[in-house]
Amino acid sequence: MKSSKRQLVVGLVLGALILAGNVQAQEKEQPVSDVLDPMIVTATRDEKRDLDIAAATQVFTHQEIVEMGAQTVLEVIENIPDFVVSQSPSGNGLPGLRGITGYLTIMINGIPLANEGYFQLGSIATSGVERVEIVKGGSAVLYGSDATTGVVNIITKKDDANHVSVGAGNNGQLQGGAFVKKSGFSVAVDHYRKENYGTTYKSSSTEYRGEELERTNVNLNYELNEHINLMYLHSQKESESSKYWPDTDTVKGDPWENEQVYDIGQASFTWDDLRVLFYGQSRKWEYVNPSGKQKGRYYGVDIQDKWQFSKLAVTAGGNYDHEKSSRLSGDEWIDNTRDKGALFVLTETDLFSATKLMLGAREVFSDTSDNVFCPQLQILQGFGETGSVYLNVNKSLREPNLSQIYGYSATQVPNEDLDAEIGWTYEIGWKKQITRADMLKLALYHMEIDDRIYSSKTSSGETIYLNASKFKNTGAELSYEHKAPKGLFYGAGLAYMDPKQKAAGSDDWEDTEHQLGMHLNIGYRWLDRGMCSLVVNHNAMRSEDTDPMWDVSLNASLDLSAKDTLRLHINNLLDRDDYISSGGGSVLEARNLLLTYERSF
């Protein structure tokens, strides 16, 4: 890896330390999630209690993220029972929920992450993340394309105790980071590297072994005043993998090298219920063996406001996006662009004293495909302050990637008539807060996706993308959580799915992904002393006769003082080589441990 980049990170950490020394010392904050009905923003674009939201939701707070030992956002959402992912040896992949990869909107502070089909959630460190909110089911009315199975909203950190951290572990693991805030300005810096960390991907004849990985994150926030906030996020990951042939016990060829970089900027203005957010993003992906370069830019504006008319509340707004995607073909960059926008409205009214009706609609405008109208109907019936049932019916879409429309090489035929994929979701659910620390949730759903995009070969051997295939899934999700500021805490989630797809030109439904997912965490917290927990994720009844996956991690922390903490994370405690994705490919990383020391100021 480039030494200049390491020097830059060291300089940033040292600068944060110097700034921290000038900040007045403060006691270490130890917030505890002892209330299981949190305020959630993502589901309605406005703060609401979980019990008042007509959708299946899940929230990972900053404390929970730290206690589970998650280093990246990908490691956070892997703890969702119906999470699925398809990844390449580089770690680039399509995450998804409810039995289908992709079709999931990843957002930074409510703004979709420009992806063009490529996600690098393994490059976004949790050090600069305040919380991660997940809303399952179609969310196209509020967030547009890709929000068919749900949205993952990564909310960046603005406030925390000033601190620095250093860590080390086996496989050459080294970690360093800092968070400092002063006069409305905050910076979170994180750098992580490891080497010789074992097999990461298996194909029919070869394995890819991780030789070196380096990840750098810098997150800046500046609250100019109560109305204006500025945010910048730089996320970069470099990795190198060798190709190994088990049959001959040999390593052949040059290593697979990858570099992915995100630069994201946002400027938000709020005044009462009015919010205006300007944003810009750039993405770069460079890889060697096979070689290629891709990049993209994405900028726009998102506006929303809210009005109250007696018993009727109306939230309305719109957005405009300009997207550019480029790929190097030979010595020439091939550029494609798209302009798109949308108008949306969401209404809420009280039908009866405890019954709410929510109607929403979104009209999507795009210069690469037909306009699409997406409606939504939600009914929520409350039972006192501690229970509710809901009905949620909605239509969603996924626009084709620019590469699928225009092609990026001489061997691909453009198809500018490619339509957006259309999905419908029908869901009913029940939420019950049994005590202040105990929450039970149940959701039953059915979803269908038509006009799925697939690749086909022409008579001359060229690739073309067409609309034809279908997907459907019927499933159930059950979860129970017990949170407490001290003593025993635990949570369990179970998801049963029946995902099936029909290939183009076929009348047969075929199983895809896995049918059973389970998550379990159990731990004990000593107030002002530390905690210890065990986290288990299990996938079974998988497609292509893939063996079940058992992923177990151990996490512990010890408060040496009010300002000093030791943390231990042991990944893949059972040291299994199970496949992460249902149909093979990516595998669990070999068992490793990371010991971190954190000092607050």
Side-chain angles (χ1 to χ4, degrees), residues 79-95:
N79 292 281
I80 303 172
D82 57 5
F83 174 79
V84 293
V85 65
S86 174
Q87 292 189 140
S88 71
S90 68
N92 177 72
L94 288 175

Side-chain angles (χ1 to χ4, degrees), residues 354-374:
T355 306
K356 296 182 182 295
L357 171 67
M358 289 149 280
L359 297 174
R362 186 182 189 94
E363 180 74 18
V364 179
F365 310 94
S366 175
D367 61 7
T368 58
S369 57
D370 293 334
N371 299 342
V372 179
F373 177 74
C374 296

Side-chain angles (χ1 to χ4, degrees), residues 67-255:
E67 290 185 346
M68 72 171 61
Q71 296 287 315
T72 68
V73 173
L74 181 61
E75 294 174 20
V76 175
I77 63 176
E78 284 175 343
N79 292 281
I80 303 172
D82 57 5
F83 174 79
V84 293
V85 65
S86 174
Q87 292 189 140
S88 71
S90 68
N92 177 72
L94 288 175
L97 298 172
R98 292 183 169 176
I100 184 170
T101 56
Y103 302 86
L104 174 67
T105 293
I106 309 295
M107 303 189 297
I108 306 288
N109 297 325
I111 298 300
L113 183 65
N115 62 84
E116 184 58 14
Y118 303 100
F119 286 99
Q120 272 296 335
L121 294 182
S123 70
I124 301 178
T126 56
S127 57
V129 174
E130 176 59 33
R131 57 199 276 124
V132 177
E133 296 184 353
I134 295 96
V135 179
K136 298 180 182 180
S139 300
V141 167
L142 296 181
Y143 299 111
S145 179
D146 293 336
T148 302
T149 62
V151 296
V152 173
N153 191 11
I154 305 164
I155 300 173
T156 57
K157 187 191 298 183
K158 296 180 183 178
D159 196 12
D160 198 0
N162 299 296
H163 64 266
V164 294
S165 65
V166 292
N170 64 328
N171 300 331
Q173 291 184 94
L174 292 173
Q175 183 271 339
F179 179 87
V180 176
K181 179 177 181 180
K182 184 178 182 181
S183 302
F185 176 78
S186 66
V187 54
V189 181
D190 182 84
H191 184 69
Y192 173 83
R193 72 180 307 273
K194 60 184 176 182
E195 57 189 20
N196 301 322
Y197 48 96
T199 301
T200 61
Y201 190 94
K202 293 181 181 180
S203 66
S204 58
S205 60
T206 61
E207 295 180 7
Y208 291 82
R209 294 184 170 179
E211 301 295 340
E212 191 171 358
L213 181 146
E214 194 163 356
R215 184 180 64 240
T216 302
N217 277 250
V218 179
N219 182 217
L220 307 176
N221 268 281
Y222 180 49
E223 292 181 289
L224 185 62
N225 53 47
E226 62 178 322
H227 302 294
I228 300 175
N229 186 85
L230 307 177
M231 190 281 293
Y232 168 72
L233 172 64
H234 171 80
S235 173
Q236 181 172 351
K237 187 181 83 169
E238 298 175 73
S239 62
E240 182 178 299
S241 301
S242 60
K243 301 177 185 178
Y244 170 74
W245 273 256
D247 291 344
T248 58
D249 193 25
T250 57
V251 175
K252 298 180 182 179
D254 296 326

Side-chain angles (χ1 to χ4, degrees), residues 465-481:
Y465 286 90
L466 303 169
N467 294 98
S469 57
K470 297 177 180 292
F471 173 87
K472 67 178 181 179
N473 185 15
T474 302
E477 300 162 349
L478 179 66
S479 67
Y480 185 90
E481 286 186 279

Side-chain angles (χ1 to χ4, degrees), residues 40 50 151 154 171-172 178 195 212 288 328 340 343 381 442 449 497 535 538 548:
I40 299 175
D50 191 357
V151 296
I154 305 164
N171 300 331
E195 57 189 20
E212 191 171 358
V288 180
L328 188 63
K340 55 184 180 179
L343 297 174
Q381 175 65 51
L442 173 65
I449 300 174
M497 304 167 286
V535 178
H538 174 61

